[in-house]
Amino acid sequence: MFPYSEASWDVVDGAMFIGWGTALPGITTLLAIIVCIAVLVIGQRSETAKAKQYDK
């Protein structure tokens, strides 16, 4: 079996993040920030449009 001969987690002694030391953590953090901001903006527009119906 890949990567070890046993199907057990006993041989894993540390974190196995293949993106460490590259731009991957920064890129994924930036994408998460962009998605969060987009959700907040879209939600605010939706709630403002719904509230305008009752402000007349």
Side-chain angles (χ1 to χ4, degrees), residues 11-54:
V11 292
V12 178
D13 58 355
M16 297 178 71
F17 178 59
I18 59 172
W20 189 255
T22 64
L24 184 62
I27 292 170
T28 54
T29 301
L30 181 63
L31 289 174
I33 291 169
I34 291 170
V35 168
C36 288
I37 291 173
V39 167
L40 289 172
V41 168
I42 292 169
Q44 181 64 33
R45 286 182 181 172
S46 171
E47 291 299 318
T48 301
K50 289 177 185 177
K52 283 183 181 179
Q53 294 175 356
Y54 301 106

Side-chain angles (χ1 to χ4, degrees), residues 3-17:
Y4 303 106
S5 60
E6 307 177 2
S8 172
W9 286 100
D10 294 337
V11 292
V12 178
D13 58 355
M16 297 178 71
F17 178 59

